[in-house]
Amino acid sequence: MKTAVQLSKELRAREITATSLIESTYKNIESTDDKINAYMTLLKERALEQAAQVDKQFDKGNELSPLAGIPIAIKDNICIKDTRTTCSSKMLENYISPITSGAAQRCLDAGIIPVGKANMDEFAMGSSTENSAYFTSKNPWDLDYTPGGSSGGSAATVAAGQVPLALGSDTGGSVRQPASFCGVVGAKPSYGRVSRYGLVAFASSLDQIGPVTRTVEDTAHLLNVICGHDKRDATSLDLEVPDFTATLNQDIKGLKFAIPNELMSDIISDDIKEKVMDALEVIKAQGATFDFVSMDSLKASIATYYILAPAEASANLSRFDGVRYTNRADDISNLKDMYTKTRGEGFGAEVKRRIILGTYVLSSGYYDAFYLKAQKARTLIKNDFNKIFDKYDAILSPTTPTTSFKFGEKDKDPIKLYMCDIATIPANMAGLPGMNVPCGFSNNGMPIGFQIVTKALDEATMLRIGHRYQQVTDFHLKNPEMNYV
Amino acid sequence: MSLEMPDLEKALRLSHLEISEADKLLYLGQLHSIIEYMKVLEAMDLDKVEPSAYAHDQQQYLREDVVEDQGDLLLEKNAPDWQDGSFSVPKILG
């Protein structure tokens, strides 16, 4: 399994062509994806056309982006013009996007080649892909286990070595949690760094597109491509984006890290705590120091998130009403029937649960008790982060409280599933960058990751820490055996 | 404060969702536990805290209010029912 940087060198040396790379990528997908189920839709014809264009540019000796010719998987809630975008929902089963999202357009402009749309939990609501209306994606390390979610297809395809790059979206951990479950790198940039134009909205104040890769170095390159202002997204930051690869190799001597006690408590499984402590020792040996700190507001983060995100979702998903987006229920007698039956039939159980919850917390009589309180708790979470970043350069913690779980293990109890996000949600609340880095395996052989969170817009430090860790460890080089193929 | 069947019925009405009677009972139980879990917020002293709608106190970048050509928006292709250049919906007035 080669990284994007390795493949890029081979392309530049003309040891391989973009066309041969894309052909071999599809050969690999065709021989493995009946087991992994990473893809909703493959884009073979247009990918080969794009590869031919990239090869022409190489042949002419033109200067191309470092990732030109590299295949990428795109989560199926990120639009590409004239392709199907389902959000893994029956509601959008045959929806063809009329636009290309800001992030996908930047990839296309850089010559990166989208090979397919990756499976996900419906409308990005879930932690296992079990909420996809079509099929579950499998964890390449053990097919009985989930790849995590909601960007489960994106993480699974990278872990299976089908592609070196993928894009996911992260509202409460939906890039970092599946990355942790699948033993790959997954990053959520600061809120506003990557355009949300063309990302089908779940919770607009929290959603952010991010990369899934095998190395931090590849993540830095992909962030260089996708970050930047987009006037079509009013929350996109109009700020200069640094070259994230420029500072990757700086050492981390003298950096100070905070470890929240709340994320090393008994809510985290013992094997994860052990491996994260091992990772901290590795980082310490690189000249950094760390202290255990308290973040009292973390105890409210799940409750806060599961009020704010469903509230925003209930508004965002109101557009799916049977008028414009492909699906409409049969057997309707009037307009109200059309709305209620289309939505009742088109949305899956978890999406309906969150729409109901969001509508309830925004409704008259409950707004102050739930929604307003959650917005205030969000302020406390932000304040706690600010206090820590006055003294420390980064916060390190486990990414998830457990390793991947088996299919069906948590699907009956929503709160059990919501707890998967306890370590990742806070960064979304405060709009901070966060990244999962693989750091070992549990007793049953499933991957473990640790999370690095830095202050807003300081992705460079986050990447530098993760890259340094990968320079002195080899967890990111380990591959699933995949002897089931 | 808890979520009872009339609250669920009201939320379903407001959100234009139709679900079966069996699902109502299932959702009621699940949502009741979720709302119970959210009571952790009641223990927090939030009286003097300002609410946050967004992560950052950033300005919004608004573009000029001018018409731009967005190309073919595939309205007809994606419409469940399209007639004479318009989305067609069931009769609204009797």
Side-chain angles (χ1 to χ4, degrees), chain A residues 182-259:
Chain A
C182 290
V184 293
V185 176
K188 183 200 87 71
S190 308
Y191 186 79
R193 269 289 197 214
V194 180
S195 168
R196 291 183 300 108
Y197 174 76
L199 168 68
V200 179
F202 161 15
S204 308
S205 81
L206 302 161
D207 297 339
Q208 194 65 190
I209 291 172
V212 181
T213 65
R214 294 186 63 229
T215 63
V216 173
E217 186 181 24
D218 280 0
T219 286
H221 279 284
L222 188 49
L223 283 175
N224 273 356
V225 171
I226 64 172
C227 290
H229 181 56
D230 184 345
K231 66 176 185 175
R232 299 165 300 181
D233 169 7
T235 60
S236 161
L237 296 169
D238 192 2
L239 298 172
E240 197 176 326
V241 179
D243 175 358
F244 294 119
T245 61
T247 48
L248 264 188
N249 288 310
Q250 287 179 5
D251 67 34
I252 59 171
K253 214 172 183 175
L255 292 188
K256 292 197 294 186
F257 303 137
I259 322 298

Side-chain angles (χ1 to χ4, degrees), chain A residues 81-82 94-98 191 204-205 229 231-232 234-238 297 299-300 302-304 306-307 312 322-328 332 334-335 337-341 343-344 347-349 352-353 355-357 359-360 363-366 369-370 372-380 382 412 414-415 418-419 428-431 456, chain B residues 1-4 6-20 23-24 26-28 30-64 66 68 70-82 87-92:
Chain A
K81 187 174 165 58
D82 295 328
N94 300 306
Y95 178 68
I96 304 297
S97 176
Y191 186 79
S204 308
S205 81
H229 181 56
K231 66 176 185 175
R232 299 165 300 181
T235 60
S236 161
L237 296 169
D238 192 2
S297 62
K299 66 175 186 274
I302 297 266
T304 304
Y306 280 97
I307 291 171
E312 293 186 28
V323 177
R324 289 165 293 169
Y325 298 100
T326 67
N327 273 15
R328 179 182 294 178
I332 50 172
N334 56 48
L335 193 71
D337 235 21
M338 181 189 74
Y339 293 150
T340 58
K341 285 187 176 160
R343 291 165 63 76
F347 291 133
K352 283 189 271 201
R353 194 157 37 236
I355 289 173
I356 296 166
L357 184 59
T359 305
Y360 172 74
S363 65
S364 166
Y366 300 108
F370 291 105
L372 189 62
K373 258 195 185 130
Q375 283 193 318
K376 289 181 173 189
R378 185 176 190 176
T379 303
L380 292 187
K382 286 163 54 179
K412 302 290 181 295
I415 292 180
Y418 297 171
M419 293 305 287
N428 298 79
M429 287 291 159
Chain B
M1 197 166 286
S2 60
L3 189 142
E4 307 294 342
D7 300 312
L8 177 62
E9 301 269 12
K10 183 183 171 192
L12 287 169
R13 197 174 66 250
L14 290 172
S15 55
H16 289 304
L17 270 178
E18 183 175 293
I19 62 173
S20 69
D23 277 351
K24 280 185 195 171
L26 176 71
Y27 280 31
L28 189 63
Q30 290 172 335
L31 291 167
H32 187 79
S33 329
I34 294 169
I35 293 292
E36 281 298 307
Y37 177 79
M38 286 167 177
K39 287 185 176 165
V40 64
L41 295 183
E42 287 176 9
M44 299 180 79
D45 183 9
L46 298 167
D47 285 350
K48 291 179 184 160
V49 181
E50 286 295 315
S52 294
Y54 272 95
H56 309 311
D57 304 320
Q58 66 189 52
Q59 67 176 96
Q60 295 239 314
Y61 298 92
L62 301 178
R63 60 184 186 270
E64 292 296 308
V66 292
E68 288 177 13
Q70 296 184 60
D72 182 1
L73 292 176
L74 305 181
L75 300 179
E76 183 175 359
K77 192 176 182 70
N78 284 317
D81 191 357
W82 180 265
F87 295 103
S88 175
V89 296
K91 206 175 202 179
I92 298 170

